[in-house]
Amino acid sequence: MSETLVVNEIYLSLQGESTFAGLPCVFVRLTACDLRCSYCDTAYAFTEGKKLELETVLTEVKKLAKPFTGKQAATSGMLPLVELTGGEPLLQKNSLALMKQLCDDGFTVLVETSGAHDISKVDPRVRRIMDLKCPSSGEVEKNRFENVSHLKATDEVKFVIGALEDYEWAKEQIAKYGLEKICPLLFSWVQPLAPEQQNKSLKRVPAGLTPILRCELAEKIIADALPVRFQAQLHKIIWPPEQRGV
């Protein structure tokens, strides 16, 4: 039987987050997630999708990447990037085979993962962008801290911050694990969900947390001299926050 993946969407856009923000990227959004973070803006990927053979996915990625052929970026290597996202890509074991083949084909490959699953089996050439879920997500207990020992300098750790308690928790994890010595760290502010993005399956923000404004987060990073990158979600600045395929 051919290897398959359940895919929500495949599209070409600009990378909106991470240290690769702003670069052209082909996104392969896989279906299904076992978390229900309070701020999730892609709940449509929990169940929507269709089964595709890996070869079909690879063909579509190469088709979207074709206009870039021969236009190599001097400092960024082969463009566009390719990112597996979700949902949770690591829920589908064949995502590992897809990432390996994309690397073999010369792409710079990124994977966005919740950090609730083992990242050690991902091809070492892949740039792993791993969340550590903060308290306001409602899923902090799902963090798999065993993953920290597998992180490399080419990986990135992301904290999505919507409350003062998230910020303090993130600081504690950075200090506890010496994360700044391992790889780049990302602090991403929680942008309120548009009505179209609301989903009743999402966890509620735990009671008693203190909301933090975007500017407050930026100012606290500066005041505390944290070795982190504040990131805005560029795709939500360029296009409506609820727009898909961007």
Side-chain angles (χ1 to χ4, degrees):
M1 182 181 295
S2 297
E3 293 182 323
T4 61
L5 286 166
V6 184
V7 179
N8 176 270
E9 57 185 348
I10 304 174
Y11 60 93
L12 173 65
S13 186
L14 297 181
Q15 177 58 245
E17 302 181 76
S18 79
T19 61
F20 294 90
L23 291 174
C25 184
V26 176
F27 292 87
V28 180
R29 186 180 302 284
L30 301 183
T31 301
C33 187
D34 52 345
L35 303 188
R36 292 294 183 267
C37 298
S38 62
Y39 46 72
C40 181
D41 56 4
T42 53
Y44 59 87
F46 292 164
T47 56
E48 295 178 19
K50 61 182 178 179
K51 187 179 291 187
L52 299 177
E53 292 187 1
L54 260 62
E55 193 58 44
T56 301
V57 177
L58 287 164
T59 297
E60 181 62 18
V61 169
K62 291 174 183 177
K63 175 183 173 183
L64 292 171
K66 188 173 182 180
F68 291 85
T69 302
K71 299 177 181 178
Q72 305 306 314
T75 58
S76 302
M78 180 173 169
L79 290 175
L81 310 167
V82 180
E83 176 175 295
L84 272 68
T85 185
E88 170 51 65
L90 298 187
L91 276 178
Q92 299 191 52
K93 65 181 181 62
N94 285 335
S95 67
L96 301 176
L98 176 61
M99 287 186 276
K100 180 182 184 303
Q101 186 58 55
L102 288 166
C103 289
D104 289 346
D105 289 342
F107 288 103
T108 297
V109 181
L110 320 177
V111 62
E112 282 264 8
T113 178
S114 67
H117 297 273
D118 183 7
I119 66 170
S120 66
K121 297 176 183 177
V122 175
D123 190 293
R125 295 170 292 179
V126 174
R127 313 297 184 98
R128 300 171 298 191
I129 302 168
M130 187 188 84
D131 273 25
L132 281 177
K133 299 298 184 184
C134 297
S136 75
S137 70
E139 296 284 22
V140 68
E141 73 282 357
K142 301 289 181 60
N143 286 313
R144 182 187 172 93
F145 286 101
E146 298 92 329
N147 281 330
V148 171
S149 64
H150 300 301
L151 291 170
K152 311 188 304 296
T154 53
D155 297 323
E156 303 180 14
V157 173
K158 180 173 71 172
F159 297 90
V160 179
I161 295 176
L164 178 60
E165 291 78 7
D166 291 344
Y167 178 81
E168 297 300 332
W169 184 88
K171 281 176 57 179
E172 290 173 8
Q173 307 317 307
I174 292 169
K176 180 177 179 179
Y177 294 101
L179 295 175
E180 79 284 357
K181 300 183 182 73
I182 301 173
C183 64
L185 306 177
L186 313 169
F187 274 27
S188 185
W189 180 72
V190 174
Q191 181 161 323
L193 296 177
E196 298 91 333
Q197 297 172 304
Q198 300 285 346
N199 186 290
K200 54 185 167 185
S201 74
L202 301 182
K203 296 286 183 69
R204 293 183 177 274
V205 176
L209 300 188
T210 308
I212 189 170
L213 297 174
R214 179 167 44 195
C215 61
E216 290 175 331
L217 173 57
E219 289 165 358
K220 289 189 75 64
I221 290 170
I222 294 168
D224 290 345
L226 286 190
V228 304
R229 178 188 296 262
F230 177 91
Q231 65 169 16
Q233 294 175 296
L234 292 183
H235 50 293
K236 293 184 179 180
I237 296 170
I238 301 169
W239 295 283
E242 68 278 9
Q243 186 167 327
R244 299 189 190 188
V246 294

